[in-house]
C-alpha cells in the first residue's frame, strides 16, 4: 500500500512528549507506510532526512497542494495526506491510522487531536477507548483523502480559488459525499500559534 503526505515546510520540526521523538512523522525511515513530499515555500531549509522529495515554490497551502496534484501522479497512491508543518505525531501513529482507514474503507479522515492541542472542534478531540468515529468534518490541517476522491477536489478547484483551509474544510465531506473519519486510537498534537489571517473573515 503506497501513501504520500504533502506538506508545505517553513519551520523547524516540532516535538511533543506524547510521541516518539526518534520516529517523528517526517523522518524518512523504512518503517513508514507513506512517503513525504515537502514544498519549501520560504527561505527555511527543511532538515535532511525529513522528506522523500522536495519542491521549491511560493504560495498558500492549498495553492501548493493543487500544484502538487497537477504535477505528481497521485494515482500511484492509495491515500494522499495534506498536512501542516507544525503538526506533531509519530510514524507508528500515522501507519496505524492508514491501516484502520483501509480496513474500514474510510476515504476521508484525520488523526484525532490530543488534549492540549489548538483545536476548537470537539468532534476531533481524542476519545480514549475508541478506535475511530465517523462524522461530517475534518480540519484542513492534517487530513487524508483516498486517491479516488482527488478528481473531485481538482474539479472543485476549477471553479473556486482556495487560499485558506478555513471554510474549505467545512465542505469536504459534502463535496466528496463521504463520511469523515476521526482516528481516536492514535492522535496528533497541534500547537497554538498566531494565525496569518483573520479567522472571523
Amino acid at each position: 500500500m503506497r501513501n504520500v503526505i504533502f506538506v508545505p515546510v517553513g519551520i523547524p520540526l516540532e516535538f511533543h512528549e506524547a510521541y516518539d521523538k526518534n520516529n517523528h512523522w517526517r523522518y524518512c525511515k523504512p518503517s513508514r507506510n507513506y512517503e513525504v513530499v515537502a514544498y519549501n515555500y520560504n527561505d527555511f531549509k527543511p532538515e535532511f532526512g525529513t522528506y522523500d522529495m522536495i519542491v521549491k515554490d511560493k504560495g498558500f497551502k492549498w495553492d501548493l497542494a493543487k500544484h502538487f496534484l497537477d504535477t505528481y501522479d497521485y494515482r500511484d497512491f492509495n491515500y494522499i495526506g495534506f498536512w501542516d508543518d507544525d503538526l506533531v505525531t509519530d510514524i507508528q501513529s500515522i501507519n496505524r491510522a492508514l491501516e484502520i482507514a483501509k480496513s474500514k474503507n474510510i476515504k476521508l479522515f484525520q488523526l484525532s487531536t490530543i488534549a492540549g492541542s489548538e483545536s476548537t472542534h470537539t468532534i476531533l478531540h481524542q476519545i480514549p477507548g475508541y478506535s475511530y468515529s465517523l462524522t461530517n468534518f475534518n480540519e484542513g490541517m492534517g487530513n487524508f483523502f483516498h486517491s479516488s476522491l482527488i478528481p473531485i477536489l481538482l474539479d472543485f478547484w476549477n471553479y473556486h480559488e482556495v487560499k485558506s483551509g478555513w471554510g474549505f474544510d467545512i465542505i469536504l465531506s459534502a463535496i466528496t459525499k463521504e463520511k469523515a473519519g476521526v482516528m481516536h486510537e492514535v492522535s496528533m498534537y497541534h500547537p497554538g500559534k498566531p494565525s496569518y489571517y483573520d479567522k472571523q473573515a
Side-chain angles (χ1 to χ4, degrees):
M1 175 174 71
R2 290 186 74 197
N3 307 288
V4 63
I5 297 177
F6 155 87
V7 55
V9 177
I11 59 172
L13 292 179
E14 300 203 26
F15 297 88
H16 186 279
E17 63 273 9
Y19 306 102
D20 181 356
K21 68 177 182 179
N22 295 314
N23 284 293
H24 189 282
W25 70 270
R26 277 181 41 212
Y27 286 163
C28 295
K29 294 198 171 185
S31 57
R32 297 176 310 163
N33 61 15
Y34 59 91
E35 299 168 27
V36 173
V37 175
Y39 267 58
N40 185 202
Y41 63 87
N42 60 23
D43 294 329
F44 173 76
K45 292 183 179 177
E47 297 87 345
F48 181 75
T50 62
Y51 51 84
D52 296 280
M53 186 176 95
I54 190 162
V55 178
K56 181 76 175 174
D57 206 348
K58 296 280 187 186
F60 292 93
K61 175 183 175 179
W62 292 105
D63 280 337
L64 298 176
K66 184 176 186 306
H67 177 264
F68 165 68
L69 293 172
D70 285 339
T71 57
Y72 202 76
D73 193 352
Y74 63 84
R75 296 169 299 179
D76 288 342
F77 295 89
N78 195 20
Y79 287 96
I80 297 98
F82 299 90
W83 279 48
D84 289 355
D85 57 358
D86 60 348
L87 294 176
V88 186
T89 188
D90 48 33
I91 291 169
Q92 47 270 46
S93 294
I94 293 180
N95 283 352
R96 182 58 185 148
L98 288 163
E99 288 168 3
I100 295 170
K102 183 180 179 184
S103 68
K104 302 299 182 182
N105 195 30
I106 300 170
K107 294 185 176 180
L108 171 64
F109 72 92
Q110 71 164 76
L111 279 67
S112 65
T113 52
I114 196 171
S117 291
E118 172 72 15
S119 175
T120 56
H121 308 287
T122 56
I123 196 73
L124 306 177
H125 295 179
Q126 186 175 34
I127 304 173
Y130 278 46
S131 179
Y132 69 95
S133 62
L134 295 175
T135 179
N136 64 353
F137 175 75
N138 279 170
E139 200 164 354
M141 66 183 174
N143 43 27
F144 282 92
F145 294 82
H146 190 270
S147 58
S148 63
L149 302 182
I150 298 301
I152 297 171
L153 293 183
L154 292 173
D155 184 59
F156 182 85
W157 286 330
N158 284 332
Y159 301 96
H160 305 279
E161 186 178 28
V162 177
K163 295 291 186 186
S164 163
W166 282 78
F168 179 51
D169 51 13
I170 292 172
I171 65 168
L172 292 177
S173 181
I175 66 172
T176 59
K177 296 181 173 57
E178 293 288 339
K179 290 288 187 182
V182 181
M183 303 305 177
H184 296 284
E185 193 175 317
V186 291
S187 66
M188 60 186 173
Y189 172 69
H190 185 216
K193 289 185 178 176
S195 177
Y196 295 110
Y197 43 82
D198 182 358
K199 296 177 182 179
Q200 296 305 313

